Amino acid sequence: MTAVPAPASRNHPGTAASRRRAARLRRPAFRTAVAAAVCLTGVLRVLAPRAGAAAADPLARYHHQHLAWQSCVRGSGDDLGKELERAGAQCADVTVPLDYGVPGGRTITVAISRIRATDTAHRVGALLLNSGGPGGQTLGDPPWVRTAMRDAGARYDIVGVDPRFVGRSTPLDCHWPTGTSFRGAGTGRAGFEQVTALSRELARRCRAYARDLLPYATTRDTARDLDVVRAALGQDRISYLGYSYGSYLGQVYATMFPGRTDRVVLDGVIDPHRYGPRLLLGATAAHRAALTHWAAWTAARDGTYGLGRTRDEVLAAVDRVRTAAERAPLHVGGYRVDAHTMPVVVFNGLSQDNDSAYGDLARAVRDLVRAADGHRVAPSPWLADALRFVLTGSDSSYGSAQTAILCGDVPAPRDPEVYWRDVQRARAADPLFGPVTHDIGPCAFWQPPRERPTAVRPDLPALLVNATGDPRTPYDGALAVRHRWRSSRLVTLRGADQHAVYGVFGSSCADSAVNAYLATGRLPAGDLTCERL
């Protein structure tokens, strides 16, 4: 899931800006786009329901609302809007209830974008997108998804949806001094107590600034919003493409609204039995394997990065930075990188298996090594972006929405001692990643969820996609869902430490399998394995 420091991609089709944006939409830790403010009340004209319709459908006024499609550009500096406009997309706001239990009450808006089908003679319908998070914007994704779909894309209205409280939808912002609640536990009990105090403070800020919204920041309400979008688009059924957390959202939607899905693709598959605030508990080993592979890549380029000529020498350099940050904060530009921050930086650098992403992490580690040696360091662009996100409030809205959804979906243990014991055991096995994947967070200090987690349906004919070395959504999650969904099929990318495959990694085998399914509606006869080339 991208519910944490998550994926970065440099391989999306389209412009360099679109590739960076598409990467960040599914990468909580380094998102830099600031959500545009949207009025908290619904701003679209909602058609009055027909006589008697309200009794039959309490959501009739939302299902039959008129969508005012317009330019996606919001001002001269809106690069996202300009890119959407160049691709032929238009944007609209969809009015939805804040509380579906009181549909006549307060409303919020959900921002959507759409590139319409051009092959109208063979039009399939609407393909709704979710790029992960939770908390990731999806409004800007239709252009690169349309490119990835090749000929199949012409048969769909491709619709990007910023989920409630995300991006250009009605915002939720707890005014945090950080863009993410995820931290390493530090060293010793004192370090753990610092993170506990931070987590308690972040939860307090959400109660202070967004108390009225928190009960409705859930995946179930996001799924309900998707169904309002479906109806407002005039569709009996929708097709769906979801990445990472978006795979969980797709499972929840298909469960809550049976019969309303057509073709479903879930990429970076989350096992719903493991979804929740502590989803990272199962990700330590996959991140260690990815770090080892990155170290081998970096060692082969010692002349460029100078971190060591062997894999073990590069890993030793990372470990030296960790121990230095544990002794005293490292000074990198205007930032102080301590034992809580340094592991998160490395963690976030491991989700994309390509030269560009590997080079970003290698330059960041090189900067940290120089800082550990006492040199004055101006951070590389990627590292500066990472530290800005973790150590300033420039992306408070992102972390606020992400955490609110995780805490609102599934309860977390409330006793800090549970986390302390877990951290200690995990640290013994992996001193770099264990204190991140097992650490305490704001959900320990959150109100219990308003609804129970969704018991996901026992089967669905969907196409599942996952890489064997995926650090964020480990491969065993895809295997678990495939086992339960007997009518589904699994496309495996073997030999890649890659999070998000379709249209991202550049596997013609995986991309062709997805496009064939989207074009024909027929799943492969059996599971497919694509080798990394």
Side-chain angles (χ1 to χ4, degrees):
M1 105 164 184
T2 346
V4 271
S9 166
R10 304 288 175 168
N11 286 336
H12 286 288
T15 66
S18 71
R19 290 195 298 271
R20 288 192 298 271
R21 178 161 47 253
R24 287 166 178 158
L25 293 186
R26 291 195 296 278
R27 182 178 59 187
F30 303 150
R31 226 182 112 272
T32 56
V34 178
V38 181
C39 181
L40 192 56
T41 56
V43 297
L44 291 183
R45 179 167 61 91
V46 180
L47 299 182
R50 297 183 300 275
D57 178 8
L59 299 176
R61 71 188 185 107
Y62 301 102
H63 288 161
H64 300 289
Q65 66 184 285
H66 170 75
L67 299 183
W69 294 100
Q70 56 191 341
S71 170
C72 299
V73 179
R74 294 186 174 185
S76 59
D78 183 8
D79 293 337
L80 178 106
K82 291 176 183 177
E83 190 168 312
L84 284 165
E85 188 167 77
R86 285 193 296 270
Q90 289 188 306
C91 290
D93 287 337
V94 180
T95 300
V96 300
L98 173 64
D99 179 359
Y100 277 86
V102 188
R106 185 177 177 182
T107 63
I108 59 175
T109 58
V110 171
I112 66 175
S113 61
R114 180 178 68 178
I115 298 177
R116 303 205 68 169
T118 54
D119 185 0
T120 55
H122 302 97
R123 181 180 177 275
V124 176
L127 174 69
L128 270 60
L129 312 177
N130 183 276
S131 61
Q137 289 181 256
T138 307
L139 194 84
D141 285 4
W144 71 260
V145 171
R146 172 67 181 83
T147 300
M149 292 174 72
R150 298 186 179 273
D151 293 343
R155 302 178 60 188
Y156 287 87
D157 293 342
I158 303 173
V159 181
V161 182
D162 276 355
R164 58 172 47 204
F165 310 133
V166 171
R168 293 190 180 183
S169 298
T170 297
L172 184 159
D173 190 349
C174 300
H175 299 274
W176 282 1
T178 178
T180 177
S181 63
F182 292 93
R183 293 289 190 277
T187 58
R189 186 71 193 212
F192 175 77
E193 292 295 344
Q194 289 179 30
V195 180
T196 301
L198 173 65
S199 298
R200 184 181 287 109
E201 171 62 11
L202 296 180
R204 184 200 67 78
R205 286 182 179 233
C206 281
R207 290 192 298 273
Y209 291 104
R211 182 186 296 271
D212 54 340
L213 303 180
L214 296 182
Y216 313 105
T218 69
T219 298
R220 289 180 64 84
D221 279 330
T222 300
R224 294 177 177 114
D225 293 345
L226 288 182
D227 203 57
V228 169
V229 172
R230 172 201 60 78
L233 291 171
Q235 303 290 299
D236 293 329
R237 298 194 299 168
I238 57 168
S239 294
Y240 180 82
L241 169 61
Y243 292 88
S244 195
Y245 163 79
S247 76
Y248 177 72
L249 173 60
Q251 294 173 63
V252 171
Y253 178 81
T255 299
M256 293 179 64
F257 300 98
R260 295 186 187 171
T261 57
D262 186 0
R263 302 165 197 188
V264 175
V265 180
L266 307 181
D267 189 323
V269 186
I270 290 177
D271 179 355
H273 292 175
R274 289 170 47 184
Y275 170 78
R278 307 194 77 196
L279 181 63
L280 284 183
L281 287 178
T284 308
H287 279 86
R288 174 56 58 175
L291 180 68
T292 300
H293 296 154
W294 164 82
W297 180 95
T298 303
R301 294 157 179 81
D302 182 58
T304 301
Y305 303 109
L307 293 175
R309 296 181 179 180
T310 68
R311 181 193 67 183
D312 288 346
E313 287 178 354
V314 175
L315 291 174
V318 173
D319 197 54
R320 184 158 64 88
V321 171
R322 177 184 62 81
T323 56
E326 289 174 350
R327 288 193 300 269
L330 311 180
H331 295 273
V332 181
Y335 301 104
R336 289 163 54 88
V337 181
D338 61 13
H340 303 295
T341 305
M342 180 271 173
V344 175
V345 170
V346 178
F347 189 96
N348 275 278
L350 297 168
S351 71
Q352 299 299 289
D353 190 343
N354 61 63
D355 289 352
S356 180
Y358 276 6
D360 282 341
L361 180 57
R363 281 184 287 272
V365 173
R366 182 181 62 192
D367 290 345
L368 293 173
V369 167
R370 294 185 68 245
D373 290 338
H375 298 290
R376 298 183 63 177
V377 176
S380 63
W382 184 88
L383 180 57
D385 189 17
L387 297 176
R388 185 181 308 112
F389 185 88
V390 176
L391 297 175
T392 78
S394 59
D395 278 310
S396 164
S397 60
Y398 182 83
S400 300
Q402 179 181 90
T403 301
I405 295 166
L406 287 171
C407 302
D409 279 345
V410 180
R414 302 185 68 83
D415 183 359
E417 294 304 315
V418 171
Y419 302 90
W420 170 245
R421 290 192 296 268
D422 287 350
V423 164
Q424 292 299 89
R425 285 192 293 266
R427 189 197 311 277
D430 192 316
L432 179 65
F433 295 131
V436 175
T437 56
H438 291 69
D439 204 6
I440 195 169
C443 295
F445 306 100
W446 218 263
Q447 291 298 312
R450 184 171 54 96
E451 297 184 81
R452 292 183 177 180
T454 303
V456 169
R457 61 186 292 166
D459 195 18
L460 182 75
L463 189 61
L464 315 175
V465 186
N466 226 96
T468 54
D470 186 337
R472 296 293 190 269
T473 51
Y475 184 59
D476 59 359
L479 293 175
V481 174
R482 173 67 180 91
H483 177 74
R484 295 186 197 107
W485 286 5
R486 298 291 186 175
S487 61
S488 68
R489 297 292 182 268
L490 174 61
V491 177
T492 297
L493 175 62
R494 185 159 60 187
D497 301 327
Q498 173 69 29
H499 184 56
V501 174
Y502 172 66
V504 179
F505 181 73
S507 168
S508 59
C509 171
D511 290 357
S512 295
V514 174
N515 286 338
Y517 169 58
L518 292 174
T520 66
R522 293 190 296 271
L523 288 166
D527 295 341
L528 300 175
T529 297
C530 298
E531 300 291 344
R532 176 185 179 152
L533 300 178

